[in-house]
Amino acid sequence: MANQRLTTGALLRYIRGNTSEKATLQVVGIKPIESKTDDPSGSAKRYRLMLSDGKSTFSSCMLGTQMNKLIETDSLKENSIIRVDRVMVNSIDKQNGRVMLMLYEIEILQSDCERIGDPVALPLTDIINSGTNTNRLETTNNNQAQAPISAAASSATNVIRQDSKALPTLDDRKKSNGDNRLGSKGTNGIDKERIINIDTLNPYMTKWTIKARISNKSQIRTYENARGPGKLFSCDLVDQSGEIRATGFNAECDKFYSMLEIGEVYYIAKASLKAANRQFNNTNNDYEMTFNHDTIIEACDAGEGENIPQVQFNFISINDIANRSANSICDVIGVVKSTSDMQTIVSKASQKEFNKRDLLLVDEKASISVTLWGQQAEEFDGSSHPVVAFKGIKIGDFNGRTLSCINSTLIRQDPPETQRTVELRVWFDNEGKSIDLPDLSKGADTGNRQTVIKTLSQIVVEGLGLGDKPDYVCVKGITTLIKKDTAVYMMCPEEKCGKKVVDENNGTYRCEKCNKTYNNFKWAYMISAEISDVTGAQWITIFRNEAETLLGVTADEFGNHKLNQSESIMEDIIRKAMNRELIFKLRAKAEQYNDERKIRFTCMSVNDMDWSSHGRRLINEINQMEPIQN
Amino acid sequence: MSHHYRINGSMLQQFNEKPVSIIGTVTKIHPSGNIIDLETSDKQHIVVRLSEHVDVNAGSIIEVLGNVDNRNQIVCDTIVTFEPEQTANFDMDMYNQAVMLFQHYPQDYLVNL
């Protein structure tokens, strides 16, 4: 009965190229593989699975790294049953039976399970004989049914003897003498049928072609290492699916540097892929490309490359920069509100002179200072208040937050690839140029934007308010209780006094602090309210304007209702203020009450939820929780 | 209690025969009123078949609850419409990111409502 659940025969069908099937398979083995990478911080682990379809097993199944955590959290283990949702076949050396199944998407149907059936390993012959890869193999099959089996089992030379022309094995590529002919199809150069998306490139593929635009190209840089002097250049390749960094060293540097022009589209095939070196490479791709001896690059005909975007941007709003850590890289777009003159500074460390220029970049919600260097600084003209996009700019934490261009930063004025250009232009011309926005580069901890959002339990756990100075924090919470009867009090009419007066019940009111008796008083808010979020609840005190914002009526109005004993009206006001999800900015300070030290929370401001920016903040936080290799 | 998976256009195939919820913008309404073309949060266009004529405006954002059939269309049993004020600030791109997060981390997002 259990056997019915596995899709028998699926493994062979996958290897044959029928990858649209969504088979149910069982994991019969998991082996971690340390991937070679230059990145010292990354431990790019890759898991190799042996899968069973009930009848056969296949041991070369690579799990996409984004699913590594399934194994690490023990959801995916030996004997787990999975459904394969997206898979690709990589033929490393089909003649010798070396193929791999790349699992891009799977779903765990059952974590714990008994071994189903008694599957046996797929015979090599079945793997070799499958598919329509090389014409050669099929002709030999027709003539001598037994021959391929023995050919695979014995050395490679036997295979060549079966047929006069050389087979395209992995070794043959090196023999090609720079003549980029592909053996079997006889095509000279780019195979335009095999164009794939940049975001599917990985080191385990052999035959692929991409069609990409050069969005950025560096200068040729020379270096010296143990092997002697060398040179290199890098460029960023962009297509509809994503981007990738490519580097050409020495011979390839000479070959391709002048050929590749920024903004033009090229077909590229046969380059090496390895894990991206995060020290130098900030593109949005796990891998990076290196041009090698076999790399073929062909210019696209005019008109063929129209659907390839010029550049891939991943903009964050200037606001969000406050949430990012210093020295991280981001993409940002805004309008240049002001530009400084060229300045020259001398580096204390190197005694070298640097030219720089600062500009103030604004978007609808905030502004930030951006620094340009060297040639970029000299050439920049912000007098027309252009919309400028920065790709790969570094975040600094001088005086709050600033942005600084680095060698690989791309600056684009009025970029056409994004709607933001038009949006910002319209906004700036209509309102933006005349308003003053909160400046992230003017000191830390001023204003709402700098105040970090925490949960109520975080506030307790982190001991906010226990220090000598008060702590400020924002909370997204719901008003769950509001004390109606003590919402307002009679306050001394004297400006800046604020003390509660005693009602003498004869039309006069006494203030002990001022030591005077008055004929009148002012109603003032001092609301005790409980706010709650997912993690807990907290009583806070809300005064003055904030209370008025919350209840929607002035203290005076509420006080009058209280005098008139209009209970139902007051209840109505309170009811409308309850169960509202708002952002509360709180001041936490420990105060001594007799022998007790309690933290008092005062509300500094109440604001409506901005769901858009809240959502973006959550997405940011989730992304930061992803392991590095993702 | 039905559990509708929140998906976008590209995920239709994966959810064949399953109950789904899709949010998108109405782009075309077939003259019969029973078939509408919806642009989903990931800018794909899908076809929604209604069992009876429903009054929706082209350009409005709606939520479609139904099942994915063999032809990669939605057979709809419920449509949720919104007031223009409610959808004025709806960030479709962020909704799309949320939908992808739900798929990426199915163990962290509840589906049974």
Side-chain angles (χ1 to χ4, degrees), chain A residues 117-137:
Chain A
D118 197 13
V120 291
L122 265 179
L124 207 58
T125 58
D126 284 1
I127 299 173
I128 294 169
N129 289 342
S130 61
T132 56
N133 190 20
T134 54
N135 298 328
R136 247 152 233 90
L137 217 46

Side-chain angles (χ1 to χ4, degrees), chain A residues 55-71:
Chain A
K55 193 180 87 175
S56 311
T57 64
F58 186 64
S59 64
S60 300
C61 309
M62 305 303 291
L63 185 69
T65 52
Q66 72 274 21
M67 294 176 281
N68 279 1
K69 56 181 180 307
L70 295 176
I71 295 178

Side-chain angles (χ1 to χ4, degrees), chain A residues 163-177:
Chain A
D163 195 308
S164 52
K165 296 183 215 150
L167 288 166
T169 63
L170 230 53
D171 296 320
D172 271 354
R173 276 199 331 192
K174 295 208 181 91
K175 293 181 199 157
S176 60
N177 293 331

Side-chain angles (χ1 to χ4, degrees), chain A residues 278-546:
Chain A
R278 285 288 165 226
Q279 210 182 349
F280 300 113
N281 176 358
N282 300 302
T283 54
N284 194 15
N285 197 317
D286 290 341
Y287 302 108
E288 58 184 39
M289 193 185 287
T290 307
F291 298 137
N292 60 40
H293 183 66
D294 298 308
T295 302
I296 311 173
I297 302 187
E298 225 178 75
C300 231
D301 294 330
E304 266 190 331
E306 267 162 14
N307 55 332
I308 310 281
Q310 290 276 356
V311 69
Q312 284 273 0
F313 285 117
N314 300 306
F315 291 129
I316 60 172
S317 71
I318 294 184
N319 249 347
D320 282 340
I321 294 176
N323 295 330
R324 296 291 181 95
S325 40
N327 294 326
S328 61
I329 307 288
C330 70
D331 296 350
V332 74
I333 186 170
V335 182
V336 176
K337 185 153 185 191
S338 63
T339 319
S340 76
D341 292 326
M342 282 289 292
Q343 300 156 33
T344 309
I345 61 168
V346 181
S347 157
K348 281 194 212 115
S350 60
Q351 296 302 316
K352 281 218 290 234
E353 272 194 0
F354 289 103
N355 288 338
K356 66 172 236 184
R357 194 195 288 273
D358 290 321
L359 56 96
L360 190 66
L361 194 72
V362 304
D363 69 8
E364 294 88 342
K365 299 230 179 80
S367 63
I368 193 167
S369 171
V370 179
T371 306
L372 306 179
W373 302 92
Q375 199 177 3
Q376 279 178 339
E378 282 167 47
E379 291 174 351
F380 188 79
D381 178 9
S383 51
S384 60
H385 301 292
V387 173
V388 181
F390 296 89
K391 180 173 172 64
I393 192 168
K394 189 164 89 160
I395 297 176
D397 61 357
F398 177 70
N399 220 16
R401 283 284 182 271
T402 57
L403 292 175
S404 176
C405 288
I406 54 180
N407 264 336
S408 52
T409 303
L410 197 61
I411 306 182
R412 304 264 298 174
Q413 283 204 18
D414 299 316
E417 291 82 3
T418 165
Q419 233 175 321
R420 291 293 287 141
T421 305
V422 173
E423 284 171 17
L424 283 164
R425 176 87 274 141
V426 168
W427 163 79
F428 188 79
D429 292 342
N430 290 331
E431 343 161 12
K433 61 182 179 215
S434 36
I435 62 179
D436 271 320
L437 289 144
D439 192 343
L440 267 70
S441 309
K442 289 228 170 69
D445 285 338
T446 48
N448 280 343
R449 238 151 306 274
Q450 297 293 352
T451 319
V452 66
I453 294 211
K454 292 194 186 285
T455 62
L456 288 174
S457 72
Q458 269 178 303
I459 293 175
V460 172
V461 161
E462 292 175 21
L464 261 59
L466 287 172
D468 292 322
K469 293 203 315 195
D471 288 311
Y472 293 88
V473 64
C474 278
V475 177
K476 165 168 105 59
I478 300 186
T479 44
T480 40
L481 282 171
I482 299 180
K483 287 195 178 164
K484 168 173 70 83
D485 297 328
T486 52
V488 287
Y489 69 98
M490 296 177 179
M491 183 177 75
C492 174
E494 191 70 52
E495 280 292 325
K496 302 204 191 236
C497 175
K499 186 117 176 86
K500 181 171 176 182
V501 293
V502 177
D503 185 349
E504 313 260 74
N505 282 321
N506 56 7
T508 64
Y509 306 89
R510 174 137 188 96
C511 175
E512 293 303 339
K513 184 166 154 195
C514 300
N515 207 10
K516 276 161 80 163
T517 305
Y518 298 92
N519 289 326
N520 57 351
F521 65 91
K522 281 197 226 166
W523 282 113
Y525 274 127
M526 187 170 74
I527 302 181
S528 252
E530 187 199 46
I531 60 173
S532 308
D533 69 8
V534 162
T535 64
Q538 180 62 54
W539 283 96
I540 66 175
T541 316
I542 315 179
F543 297 97
R544 299 198 304 260
N545 294 340
E546 296 75 47

Side-chain angles (χ1 to χ4, degrees), chain B residues 37-95:
Chain B
D37 180 301
L38 199 71
E39 185 187 76
T40 61
S41 54
D42 57 343
K43 303 208 179 17
Q44 307 277 324
H45 286 263
I46 63 171
V47 173
V48 177
R49 313 184 87 80
L50 314 166
S51 49
E52 51 185 36
H53 172 74
V54 174
D55 210 2
V56 290
N57 296 326
S60 63
I61 296 180
I62 60 171
E63 180 176 1
V64 171
L65 302 172
N67 282 63
V68 183
D69 73 7
N70 297 335
R71 292 172 289 177
N72 265 3
Q73 299 179 342
I74 306 274
V75 174
C76 161
D77 41 42
T78 314
I79 283 207
V80 182
T81 56
F82 302 96
E83 297 294 313
E85 305 88 67
Q86 290 175 303
T87 58
N89 293 323
F90 186 67
D91 192 333
M92 190 64 90
D93 184 61
M94 197 173 353
Y95 179 75

